[in-house]
Amino acid sequence: MIVDADCHISPFDEGTHITVDELLRRMDRSGVGKALVWLSPPYMREVDEANAYVHAAVKAHPDRLLGFGWTDPRLGVRKARDMVRKCVEEYDFFGVKLNGAQNDFFVDDPKVSIPVVEEIAGTGKLVAFHCGMDAAEQTHPFRIARIARRFPHMQVLCVHMGGVGFPDMSRAAVEMALECPNLHLIGSMVNHLSILEAIRTLGARRVSFGSDTPFALMHVCVAAYNALLEGEVTEQEKADVMGGNLLRLLGQTG
């Protein structure tokens, strides 16, 4: 089964935003069985409405969607920690994402971000971080690795693995993942050669397919991964990258 590890949905069908119905249409077109979904930035002052929309979408399509929360410490650390608890206790999401690029903070900031990460770690769920060149200082792989070392029992998703621009920071992301066994790379919006190098260096079980829908075309990303992995990995390794790894991290395999 193909599982897309990076999809955004919104209650608003405008601009780059897409609703859950449009996401499902794109999944069907692409042959994607399940998708990890979180809210779609940008948003204005609140994340609750968007998280609630994700929750409702997952409840309506539990066989297709894997819910993941979002919190913004720039709206207030206490408020962000409360949102973590809501995402886990009320929405039963698999984890919570922080985006230092969208919200302009250093992901390892001891006053802004770390208290929120501690809250996530205390739930036993996963944490995800945007990691890209669009905010290299705030979201650099070494900052995410610092968190992975501080919370070694928490699985950390490194979304974009330093991509979203060229040149990217993928080499640093791979080197940090070598040092941190709980750091998992999501290969969305990153150079295809970087994805292949990550697989060769870390092994196929440390990298997962992601499209960053709707900011990229899911069917094109699936085709690109299929072409990239053909002749480079075994069928089992391809199955791991294209979905098995993420399902295992989320406890969705037997």
Side-chain angles (χ1 to χ4, degrees):
M1 178 191 296
I2 301 176
V3 183
D4 192 328
D6 184 10
C7 294
H8 303 263
I9 57 174
S10 168
F12 310 108
D13 188 8
E14 57 187 24
T16 56
H17 295 299
I18 63 169
T19 63
V20 63
D21 291 337
E22 174 60 16
L23 174 64
L24 291 168
R25 187 192 71 80
R26 297 188 187 193
M27 290 170 65
D28 290 340
R29 177 183 181 183
S30 307
V32 170
K34 293 179 181 287
L36 186 68
V37 290
W38 30 49
L39 65 79
S40 184
Y43 48 85
M44 297 304 292
R45 296 186 58 82
E46 301 292 338
V47 297
D48 196 17
E49 180 182 2
N51 277 330
Y53 180 76
V54 173
H55 173 58
V58 172
K59 283 189 67 177
H61 306 280
D63 58 328
R64 304 296 302 278
L65 304 180
L66 305 163
F68 216 91
W70 189 293
T71 195
D72 179 2
R74 282 299 191 191
L75 300 177
V77 172
R78 179 179 297 177
K79 191 172 185 177
R81 295 181 69 173
D82 288 343
M83 179 53 66
V84 169
R85 290 191 292 273
K86 187 169 188 177
C87 284
V88 173
E89 297 171 7
E90 181 176 336
Y91 296 157
D92 197 27
F93 287 152
F94 289 101
V96 182
K97 183 178 179 180
L98 292 91
N99 190 327
Q102 163 73 21
N103 305 129
D104 191 26
F105 63 90
F106 289 85
V107 295
D108 60 344
D109 187 298
K111 294 183 178 179
V112 175
S113 180
I114 292 300
V116 182
V117 178
E118 287 177 337
E119 192 73 37
I120 300 170
T123 69
K125 301 290 187 174
L126 286 74
V127 66
F129 291 100
H130 175 103
C131 177
M133 282 299 295
D134 51 343
E137 281 286 348
Q138 293 94 331
T139 70
H140 197 283
F142 87 79
R143 297 190 184 280
I144 297 172
R146 184 178 291 166
I147 293 169
R149 294 189 194 97
R150 180 166 178 169
F151 303 97
H153 301 298
M154 178 172 59
Q155 289 294 326
V156 179
L157 303 182
C158 183
V159 184
H160 311 307
M161 50 180 281
V164 197
F166 187 82
D168 62 36
M169 301 184 293
S170 60
R171 182 169 180 175
V174 172
E175 290 179 2
M176 295 298 97
L178 274 174
E179 298 179 9
C180 304
N182 58 326
L183 190 59
H184 191 82
L185 305 185
I186 306 298
S188 56
M189 282 294 189
V190 66
N191 186 284
H192 296 127
L193 290 175
S194 299
I195 297 168
L196 194 57
E197 182 61 25
I199 293 171
R200 289 171 173 168
T201 304
L202 300 169
R205 289 171 69 88
R206 300 287 304 281
V207 182
S208 286
F209 161 71
S211 68
D212 203 18
T213 295
F215 307 110
L217 296 173
M218 183 184 288
H219 67 284
V220 175
C221 294
V222 170
Y225 260 81
N226 283 331
L228 175 71
L229 299 177
E230 181 67 30
E232 298 290 343
V233 299
T234 67
E235 285 300 312
Q236 181 58 58
E237 289 171 332
K238 180 180 178 181
D240 287 340
V241 172
M242 297 303 292
N245 291 334
L246 184 66
L247 292 177
R248 185 179 63 254
L249 288 173
L250 301 182
Q252 296 297 289
T253 56

